[in-house]
Amino acid sequence: MSFRDDNEAGGGSGVGGDLRKPFLHTGSWYRMGSRQSSIMGSSQVIRDSSISVVACVLIVALGPIQFGFTSGYSSPTQADIIADLGLSTSEFSLFGSLSNVGAMVGAIASGQIAEYIGRKGSLMIAAIPNIIGWLAIAFAHDLSFLFMGRLLEGFGVGIISYTVPVYIAEIAPQNMRGALGSVNQLSVTIGIMLAYLLGLFLEWRVLAAVGVLPCAILIPGLFFIPESPRWLAKMGMTEEFETSLQVLRGFDTDISVEVNEIKRSVASTSRRATIRFAELKQRRYWLPLMIGNGLLILQQLSGINGVLFYSSTIFAEAGVKSSNVATFGLGAAQVIATVVTTWLADRAGRRLLLIISSSGMTISLLVVAVSFFVKGAASDGSTLYSVCCILAVAGVVCMVVTFSLGMGAIPWVIMSEILPIRIKGLAGSIATLANWFVAWIITLTANIMLNWSSGGTFTFYTLVSAFTVGFVTIWVPETKGMALEEIQQSFR
């Protein structure tokens, strides 16, 4: 099947009048590009499917970079914000956790927004409160603006955290979906690292102003990428759906087989049909819901957000003098590990990476917990005390690295792959909400728990990671190399 002309008959043209239109339309320039070599010099620029898809992924990856910058912001700025605004530790902990509260609200709305106005439209809506939130923090002179800005940031991030992995999964070819899906978490880690790095040199207000940039660039970028073809097909926009898919796969690519697979999948469900609660008891629904929710909850219960948000505090407790520099090193290690995951996701497989990741986290967290317990009993300045400090730092770094090898990226990839199209919006919102709710609990309690007992805190995280190994081994299927429609059919 070749690229269709504007006047060619489309399956959705006859009934398109009553259908919801995407917030940001696919755009006529794609059609022009297929017929006129004058656009960008030659249509060869986007003939290669990988070039077109990767370009789209890189643009939407600005959203997760914003996500990561929000997550990493509180660590290098804690001391300065507390000093400048006269906050207590508990007030700063509340500030740090409010992004998770906002994200929960965004998560609740994310699935329905993405279903109603499209994936691109929801990212546009997410970008605006992020920009306003960062500006509110940059100009804050009291708690009210600080807290309001953090909530607005969180709301946008909550929408981004659902929409970006779903968009990537829906546009990526099946042989690249794992690698491209991992770009979501890679971008988050890059955002965290940038916050750590820039936090070494920039005052906290300036750092907040820099936080505006990812979404400020994302907004115009959204006008240059196609809408998700699977969403367009679900909405009945047949011509737009085929246009989008052809752009993503390259103008010389035969897309007839993929078009038919997507049409069959959409035809098997009714866009307007509602699902009854009793139907959720069917294996095709409860199993992917349980796996998706379970992975995203366990991802946060491992304590990763507490470690990242308060890494400077953890390193200082372990006896590291330049704790902010060590925190940047932690962020850099996380980026490198996530790059490895991006390369391995479509080679080693999702399930194996999850098992290796959660096993490595269990061992690393156990080392940290034991180190803090022994360090508390050792005398200051002794050899044992120094060894325990080194082991604690090494364990934290290994925990973050092993988290990034699987538990960081893969749960989002699997969630976007396994949820049935009929309940994807609602189920995706529930899974994202669960993830952010647990993240909020962990972020809110991490500082308090660390003040109570560093060893006890990491012992709890160790037990969670050990449970995750069993959960993945028993329940999580391998989805490497399967089309989305095949994956969802396997649960029937």
Side-chain angles (χ1 to χ4, degrees):
M1 179 182 292
S2 62
F3 197 80
R4 291 175 175 257
D5 292 333
D6 286 347
N7 59 358
E8 193 173 353
S13 59
V15 295
D18 64 336
L19 292 178
R20 293 173 289 187
K21 293 294 182 183
F23 185 69
L24 297 174
H25 199 269
T26 302
S28 60
W29 75 274
Y30 297 116
R31 295 181 174 84
M32 292 168 62
S34 68
R35 297 192 301 268
Q36 299 177 11
S37 60
S38 60
I39 300 295
M40 295 188 229
S42 171
S43 62
Q44 284 292 337
V45 175
I46 49 178
R47 284 186 187 278
D48 187 335
S49 64
S50 63
I51 293 176
S52 183
V53 171
V54 169
C56 294
V57 170
L58 291 178
I59 289 173
V60 298
L62 289 164
I65 288 175
Q66 179 74 86
F67 176 174
F69 202 87
T70 300
S71 299
Y73 178 79
S74 60
S75 183
T77 59
Q78 178 172 350
D80 291 339
I81 292 178
I82 287 176
D84 287 357
L85 299 183
L87 306 185
S88 65
T89 301
S90 59
E91 285 174 330
F92 187 84
S93 294
L94 179 59
F95 165 74
S97 68
L98 280 178
S99 63
N100 301 113
V101 176
M104 283 188 278
V105 178
I108 292 170
S110 62
Q112 296 308 307
I113 292 174
E115 289 299 304
Y116 189 77
I117 62 173
R119 312 325 188 195
K120 290 170 60 182
S122 65
L123 288 175
M124 174 72 80
I125 288 176
I128 295 170
N130 262 299
I131 292 173
I132 297 172
W134 281 115
L135 291 175
I137 291 174
F139 293 100
H141 291 285
D142 56 33
L143 281 176
S144 59
F145 267 74
L146 204 64
F147 288 175
M148 180 187 71
R150 195 70 170 168
L151 282 168
L152 286 171
E153 282 174 20
F155 177 78
V157 164
I159 297 174
I160 287 169
S161 63
Y162 167 76
T163 307
V164 171
V166 168
Y167 177 80
I168 293 174
E170 291 180 345
I171 69 169
Q174 64 189 57
N175 65 320
M176 297 174 63
R177 197 174 58 244
L180 292 177
S182 298
V183 170
N184 176 62
Q185 181 65 19
L186 175 62
S187 302
V188 173
T189 62
I190 290 173
I192 293 171
M193 185 186 69
L194 286 173
Y196 289 166
L197 175 62
L198 296 176
L200 294 173
F201 309 104
L202 300 179
E203 190 258 344
W204 66 272
R205 294 184 188 277
V206 178
L207 188 62
V210 171
V212 170
L213 293 178
C215 281
I217 300 171
L218 174 64
I219 290 174
L222 290 171
F223 289 95
F224 294 93
I225 62 176
E227 181 55 87
S228 160
R230 285 177 170 83
W231 180 82
L232 291 168
K234 184 182 176 185
M235 293 298 103
M237 302 176 192
T238 306
E239 185 179 355
E240 289 88 345
F241 143 56
E242 294 181 12
T243 297
S244 175
L245 190 61
Q246 190 78 69
V247 169
L248 291 165
R249 299 296 178 259
F251 293 132
D252 291 340
T253 303
D254 183 353
I255 61 171
S256 56
V257 174
E258 191 171 1
V259 164
N260 289 332
E261 286 178 355
I262 295 173
K263 284 181 176 179
R264 279 196 299 270
S265 175
V266 170
S268 67
T269 61
S270 171
R271 181 173 65 88
R272 299 183 183 276
T274 56
I275 186 167
R276 296 189 301 272
F277 181 77
E279 291 183 80
L280 293 178
K281 297 178 181 177
Q282 297 176 22
R283 185 179 186 275
R284 59 192 286 193
Y285 294 127
W286 72 258
L287 185 54
L289 273 172
M290 185 269 288
I291 293 171
N293 277 278
L295 284 176
L296 289 175
I297 289 171
L298 290 169
Q299 179 197 63
Q300 292 301 329
L301 276 179
S302 68
I304 187 63
N305 262 10
V307 171
L308 294 177
F309 274 45
Y310 304 112
S311 52
S312 294
T313 302
I314 294 169
F315 285 136
E317 175 69 17
V320 177
K321 294 180 180 179
S322 301
S323 58
N324 282 336
V325 175
T327 296
F328 166 68
L330 182 68
Q334 190 179 21
V335 171
I336 294 169
T338 309
V339 169
V340 174
T341 303
T342 303
W343 181 72
L344 287 174
D346 285 316
R347 292 171 173 82
R350 284 62 147 160
R351 188 170 180 272
L352 178 60
L353 285 177
L354 285 174
I355 292 172
I356 293 172
S357 174
S358 52
S359 299
M361 288 171 65
T362 302
I363 296 169
S364 301
L365 288 165
L366 181 61
V367 169
V368 178
V370 172
S371 298
F372 274 120
F373 279 128
V374 175
K375 172 179 167 287
S379 57
D380 291 357
S382 67
T383 303
L384 181 59
Y385 184 92
S386 299
V387 169
C388 288
C389 289
I390 293 171
L391 287 175
V393 171
V396 168
V397 173
C398 288
M399 180 264 188
V400 172
V401 168
T402 51
F403 172 86
S404 301
L405 286 175
M407 283 301 293
I410 304 300
W412 292 105
V413 173
I414 289 180
M415 182 274 289
S416 64
E417 290 177 330
I418 66 175
L419 294 180
I421 191 169
R422 188 178 176 190
I423 62 168
K424 195 165 212 172
L426 177 60
S429 290
I430 293 171
T432 308
L433 172 62
N435 179 269
W436 280 109
F437 176 74
V438 178
W440 172 63
I441 295 295
I442 293 297
T443 307
L444 185 63
T445 59
N447 231 2
I448 299 168
M449 289 178 68
L450 287 167
N451 287 335
W452 160 69
S453 170
S454 297
T457 302
F458 283 97
T459 298
F460 172 75
Y461 297 156
T462 301
L463 294 174
V464 172
S465 294
F467 177 81
T468 303
V469 177
F471 179 86
V472 173
T473 303
I474 296 170
W475 291 108
V476 178
E478 181 55 72
T479 58
K480 179 184 72 171
M482 299 173 67
L484 295 181
E485 291 71 30
E486 288 181 77
I487 296 169
Q488 291 153 22
Q489 186 68 28
S490 69
F491 289 108
R492 293 178 181 269

